[in-house]
Amino acid sequence: MNNNDILRRLRYTFDLKELSIVDIFASADGVATQEQVVSWLKKDDDAGFVDMIDLEMATFLNGFINTKRGKREGPQPEPEKRLTNNTIFMKLRIALNLQAEEILDIMQLAEFNLSKHELSSFFRKPDNRHYCECKDQILRNFLMGLQKQFRA
């Protein structure tokens, strides 16, 4: 999945307007204009489409965490220059304050079965021997489950 797809899905799931996305960027000390947001949300084959780079997506996700859970005291975390599906999954989990059981329930809404052990392997450090790479299919199903839960 690319960052634009993820942003489009999150926008639909949480009914975010362009200006709210600009505000989310601002809550992470990032800057995005409404024009940038509109170009990120366009379909891949539309004129004016612009790829959202990892740094911009990481800034958005950090802002999403701040918006959903409140801003942390002190300096804000630096957005990652390189994002993986595991990092995106982890940031969404933090933003929505989800426990393992809740994530498994969300995956069930998307009719995708996952064990608790498989789930925990996505949130481990990459050098841990039980770490597992989160594939696009798993992130896509998680986003689909979120959509079914929040946009019934």
Side-chain angles (χ1 to χ4, degrees):
M1 293 189 74
N2 68 33
N3 293 331
N4 298 68
D5 289 335
I6 295 167
L7 183 65
R8 279 192 292 267
R9 287 173 187 247
L10 290 174
R11 176 184 186 242
Y12 177 75
T13 300
F14 296 102
D15 196 26
L16 301 172
K17 308 290 182 241
E18 284 89 1
L19 286 176
S20 356
I21 294 174
V22 170
D23 293 341
I24 288 172
F25 270 92
S27 76
D29 301 332
V31 178
T33 65
Q34 190 172 358
E35 292 77 27
Q36 277 180 301
V37 172
V38 168
S39 63
W40 290 329
L41 294 171
K42 289 185 181 214
K43 295 285 184 192
D44 299 359
D45 52 359
D46 284 351
F49 169 80
V50 175
D51 265 332
M52 184 179 208
I53 61 172
D54 285 348
L55 184 66
E56 293 163 336
M57 181 52 121
T59 304
F60 170 77
L61 291 171
N62 288 346
F64 195 60
I65 291 170
N66 291 341
T67 302
K68 290 290 187 184
R69 297 193 56 175
K71 211 168 189 176
R72 222 169 48 172
E73 293 290 321
Q76 292 301 300
E78 286 295 316
E80 294 83 354
K81 290 175 178 46
R82 176 85 180 105
L83 279 180
T84 64
N85 285 346
N86 295 64
T87 310
I88 294 168
F89 201 173
M90 175 68 89
K91 286 181 179 282
L92 289 173
R93 175 186 181 195
I94 292 168
L96 301 172
N97 200 20
L98 297 172
Q99 301 300 317
E101 293 300 324
E102 295 167 315
I103 294 173
L104 294 175
D105 292 342
I106 289 170
M107 296 299 263
Q108 283 294 317
L109 290 174
E111 299 174 9
F112 190 82
N113 292 325
L114 196 65
S115 75
K116 201 170 186 175
H117 298 291
E118 288 173 304
L119 179 64
S120 70
S121 70
F122 300 134
F123 303 123
R124 297 180 187 277
K125 299 226 181 266
D127 57 349
N128 186 300
R129 68 187 187 113
H130 296 291
Y131 171 83
C132 186
E133 182 184 331
C134 180
K135 304 285 186 200
D136 284 350
Q137 177 189 16
I138 293 165
L139 187 59
R140 191 177 303 111
N141 280 298
F142 176 67
L143 292 170
M144 182 64 68
L146 281 178
Q147 186 174 320
K148 287 183 178 182
Q149 181 173 348
F150 288 98
R151 298 257 327 186

